[in-house]
Amino acid sequence: MSTAQDDLTGRARLRDAAIEGFAAQGFDESLRAIAARAGVSAGLVRHHFGSKENLRAECDATVLERYRKLKVDSINAEPSVMFSQLPSSREGGILMVYILRSVRDGGAAGRAFLENLVAEGIEFSADAVARGLVVPSRNEEARVRHLVRQSVGALIVQLGMWPDLALDDFEGVMERFYAESMLPTLELYTEGLFADRTYLDQYLAFVAGTETTPAAPAEETSSHHGKSKE
Amino acid sequence: MSTAQDDLTGRARLRDAAIEGFAAQGFDESLRAIAARAGVSAGLVRHHFGSKENLRAECDATVLERYRKLKVDSINAEPSVMFSQLPSSREGGILMVYILRSVRDGGAAGRAFLENLVAEGIEFSADAVARGLVVPSRNEEARVRHLVRQSVGALIVQLGMWPDLALDDFEGVMERFYAESMLPTLELYTEGLFADRTYLDQYLAFVAGTETTPAAPAEETSSHHGKSKE
DNA sequence: CCAACCGCTATACACACGAGTAGCCTCCTA
DNA sequence: TAGGAGGCTACTCGTGTGTATAGCGGTTGG
């Protein structure tokens, strides 16, 4: 149940319209507008879902489920660059914008999406490091979290700077975004930014000076557990 | 005139309260709440500023002006890493959150702030490249725009994931953010991410194939068109 | 002295929103 | 074909918002 195409009856239509409306206009979209988008009356929302909050929750769950499904479908589809397996269909665009909006507003779906992306990235990164494609990091999770934060954040900034974002043209927008981001990304990822290692080495020396390592807060850094004065 | 401390008379107090309220609660903060924060009545907003939109516009202008002032004050203060000359005072935190919110919502102040940051970054980057601190890019402006987008976006994501952001503890929040972002940033900037140049070279070859260069739309990519792996 | 002015408050109005209620209308079943 | 259950609509209510108007009180200039 609750897939996209099998039941177009009321509730599902309303839910999809809500997802689309939330993605297009933000989560302040009124129930009336959503109902109008679905071609039904406003009060129907209350009969199917108890409140707007419930509707939002169900939209979140549906979007997350569809994202996972879409991700699984496009797996082994050679991700040319990390975090770039972007959808090209209209539905994929709606999903993406919905998720970006959710992250933007600090919603639960956004947090879940980020955690999902981080877990996926850690796995992917570990594999890539093992295969020698990616240089290792002193804190793999911190690196992945940083990359996820930056990638998603850049998309959110782009989304904010495109107020008249048309969901129909989402693929075009993404294409344009990638066109102007691909070169800097690849340059940064292969050639770095700094010409020498002084900044990094200085920071590493500074961190080594302080006993508590702020970069690796939780996990024990390999085996040298015994700290100095205890 | 129009500095923070000299005139505490009504209008300025209200404007500052609006800035603080917008930063703390978002731009949907009601006029009554702003008035209450300023310790005055609600209708006063209308007498000083015609409407909420006008108030918002004046807040934007004030924030931008203060940001520029704060930036000028802290110039030559050795930016250890690009885009990290962050304020540590409470007022600076308010300014920063206000600007982040403005970028997030696609406001005019946000766009102006981004453009300001890009211009500043281009200048800084050119200088750093000339001094041999930073490796050159095939499209400096695209790289700066990319870095700005990513840096600001990462902060916005962090902001969204911290719903109970206390403006008083802003420096602590930023400190924590930098503590967990510093290592990945420095690693990425000095050691890159990819172990070899294949991805970049493939992309450059692909771009060289198509006549229209999507990454460098306007400017000609100087003279050394036929590049090679050094 | 006083009167015009300005900062400010209190109250009211129009509007949009989410929430809630009653009833029609269709389709499915026996 | 009769009955009933559920999808759906029209309407109403309370609330919160931005906007607007009338009026009070202190300050200042003639």
Side-chain angles (χ1 to χ4, degrees):
Chain A
M1 58 159 73
S2 78
T3 49
Q5 301 88 326
D6 51 1
D7 56 333
L8 298 175
T9 171
R11 181 184 171 91
R13 278 229 323 273
L14 206 48
R15 171 172 45 75
D16 287 4
I19 292 175
E20 186 171 330
F22 285 153
Q25 300 297 127
F27 295 112
D28 288 337
E29 178 91 322
S30 73
L31 294 181
R32 289 167 177 81
I34 291 172
R37 188 184 293 265
V40 298
S41 185
L44 185 58
V45 174
R46 164 161 177 74
H47 268 193
H48 280 308
F49 321 87
S51 63
K52 193 182 189 179
E53 194 177 2
N54 285 30
L55 172 64
R56 169 72 191 279
E58 186 148 339
C59 287
D60 282 10
T62 302
V63 165
L64 230 64
E65 177 192 353
R66 287 189 189 165
Y67 162 73
R68 291 204 177 89
K69 183 169 187 294
L70 194 143
K71 188 181 64 180
V72 169
D73 285 357
S74 78
I75 212 168
N76 300 334
E78 42 140 355
S80 61
V81 174
M82 278 179 90
F83 320 123
S84 71
Q85 69 281 21
L86 254 295
S88 57
S89 65
R90 167 177 165 82
E91 183 188 345
I94 294 177
L95 252 63
M96 200 66 201
V97 174
Y98 185 102
I99 289 174
L100 286 180
R101 281 221 142 89
S102 186
V103 172
R104 207 194 68 152
D105 297 9
R111 186 173 276 104
F113 170 76
L114 280 186
E115 288 306 318
N116 193 314
L117 217 55
V118 164
E120 176 185 358
I122 288 178
E123 188 177 356
F124 183 85
S125 174
D127 179 65
V129 168
R131 292 169 57 193
L133 297 177
V134 167
V135 299
S137 169
R138 291 154 191 82
N139 189 336
E140 298 284 354
E141 177 175 346
R143 177 168 71 175
V144 169
R145 296 199 105 91
H146 182 69
L147 290 177
V148 165
R149 216 158 28 207
Q150 283 196 148
S151 305
V152 175
L155 285 175
I156 290 176
V157 170
Q158 200 75 356
L159 175 67
M161 291 300 119
W162 243 300
D164 56 343
L165 173 65
L167 268 63
D168 304 322
D169 196 27
F170 184 77
E171 40 188 335
V173 171
M174 291 307 301
E175 200 168 323
R176 182 169 163 188
F177 172 74
Y178 279 121
E180 69 182 15
S181 292
M182 191 60 78
L183 176 63
T185 300
L186 290 177
E187 276 189 348
L188 182 63
Y189 283 179
T190 69
E191 302 176 334
L193 184 71
F194 294 145
D196 52 38
R197 303 182 48 86
T198 54
Y199 288 124
L200 176 58
D201 290 339
Q202 280 178 10
Y203 177 77
L204 290 177
F206 168 74
V207 168
T210 61
E211 325 174 67
T212 166
T213 66
E219 313 310 326
E220 63 279 2
T221 60
S222 74
S223 63
H224 58 291
H225 217 273
K227 43 204 280 194
S228 56
K229 55 200 63 152
E230 200 277 320
Chain B
M1 56 155 70
S2 80
T3 49
Q5 299 90 326
D6 51 1
D7 57 331
L8 299 175
T9 169
R11 182 185 172 91
R13 277 230 324 274
L14 229 159
R15 170 171 45 75
D16 287 3
I19 292 175
E20 187 171 328
F22 285 153
Q25 300 296 129
F27 294 113
D28 287 336
E29 177 91 323
S30 73
L31 294 181
R32 288 169 177 78
I34 292 172
R37 186 185 294 266
V40 298
S41 184
L44 185 61
V45 173
R46 163 160 178 74
H47 271 187
H48 280 307
F49 320 88
S51 64
K52 193 181 189 181
E53 193 176 3
N54 286 30
L55 173 63
R56 170 73 191 280
E58 185 148 339
C59 286
D60 282 11
T62 302
V63 165
L64 230 64
E65 177 192 356
R66 287 188 188 165
Y67 162 74
R68 290 205 176 89
K69 184 169 185 294
L70 194 144
K71 188 181 65 178
V72 169
D73 285 358
S74 79
I75 213 168
N76 299 335
E78 43 140 356
S80 61
V81 175
M82 277 180 90
F83 321 123
S84 71
Q85 69 278 22
L86 256 293
S88 57
S89 65
R90 167 176 167 81
E91 184 189 344
I94 294 177
L95 253 63
M96 200 65 202
V97 175
Y98 185 101
I99 289 174
L100 287 180
R101 281 222 141 89
S102 186
V103 172
R104 208 193 68 151
D105 296 9
R111 185 172 277 104
F113 170 74
L114 281 186
E115 288 306 318
N116 194 316
L117 217 55
V118 165
E120 175 185 0
I122 288 178
E123 189 178 357
F124 182 85
S125 174
D127 179 65
V129 168
R131 292 168 57 193
L133 296 177
V134 166
V135 300
S137 168
R138 292 154 190 82
N139 189 335
E140 298 285 353
E141 177 175 346
R143 177 167 72 175
V144 169
R145 297 199 104 90
H146 182 68
L147 290 177
V148 165
R149 217 158 25 209
Q150 283 197 146
S151 305
V152 175
L155 284 175
I156 290 177
V157 169
Q158 199 77 357
L159 176 67
M161 292 298 120
W162 243 300
D164 57 343
L165 173 66
L167 268 63
D168 304 323
D169 196 26
F170 184 78
E171 40 186 334
V173 171
M174 291 308 301
E175 200 167 324
R176 181 169 164 187
F177 172 74
Y178 279 121
E180 69 182 14
S181 292
M182 191 59 77
L183 176 63
T185 299
L186 290 177
E187 276 189 348
L188 182 62
Y189 283 179
T190 68
E191 301 176 336
L193 184 71
F194 294 146
D196 52 37
R197 304 181 48 86
T198 54
Y199 288 125
L200 176 58
D201 289 339
Q202 279 178 12
Y203 177 77
L204 290 177
F206 168 74
V207 168
T210 60
E211 327 180 61
T212 166
T213 65
E219 314 309 326
E220 64 280 3
T221 61
S222 73
S223 59
H224 61 293
H225 233 270
K227 87 286 162 276
S228 63
K229 40 196 129 83
E230 55 191 46

